[in-house]
Amino acid sequence: QVQLVESGGGLVQAGGSLRLSCVASGGTFSIYRMGWFRQAPGKEREFVAAITRSLGDTAYGDSVKGRFTVSRDSAKNTVYLQMNSLKPEDTAVYSCAVQSTYSSGYNYWGQGTQVTVSS
């Protein structure tokens, strides 16, 4: 079992920045990739970014490319999401998730942290 705790959400004005953190504990030896997803009210969950634990390979959703940066500190079992040039449409609950193996889906999820961007 992997437990995930997100932090760093809050209220920010459009054009501002926030940095989210996600700390993993428990069965951290079984982490292949950590990802960030978001869900706004009335909308489906959306992929934001992900990073592999070993090589640090990254992937981004089209709506955040060039504005968001995902990074990790493997020694601390922590993944970060640096969000710059925030827009009101970035408002959502941001959740961290773990993909245990290359062929598995994201099978562990955090509770999420609220990000609100005011115009």
Side-chain angles (χ1 to χ4, degrees):
Q1 289 283 347
V2 178
Q3 293 80 45
L4 302 170
V5 178
E6 304 98 334
S7 62
L11 174 64
V12 64
Q13 288 188 332
S17 298
L18 280 175
R19 187 195 196 204
L20 305 183
S21 300
C22 174
V23 180
S25 61
T28 55
F29 57 88
S30 62
I31 295 175
Y32 168 71
R33 179 167 24 215
M34 295 182 74
W36 288 98
F37 294 78
R38 67 186 184 185
Q39 188 165 20
K43 295 187 177 181
E44 293 188 353
R45 185 166 60 200
E46 176 187 13
F47 170 75
V48 176
I51 186 166
T52 59
R53 184 182 188 187
S54 178
L55 297 180
D57 294 333
T58 59
Y60 295 93
D62 289 341
S63 61
V64 305
K65 284 181 181 177
R67 299 188 298 123
F68 291 11
T69 302
V70 62
S71 61
R72 93 276 192 229
D73 185 333
S74 297
K76 296 181 179 180
N77 294 314
T78 302
V79 64
Y80 305 97
L81 185 67
Q82 178 66 43
M83 306 185 294
N84 298 329
S85 302
L86 283 161
K87 305 174 182 180
E89 51 264 44
D90 293 318
T91 295
V93 174
Y94 285 70
S95 298
C96 172
V98 159
Q99 181 181 357
S100 295
T101 68
Y102 175 79
S103 58
S104 74
Y106 285 91
N107 45 358
Y108 297 102
W109 293 83
Q111 291 296 313
T113 185
Q114 177 70 45
V115 171
T116 303
V117 184
S118 63
S119 57

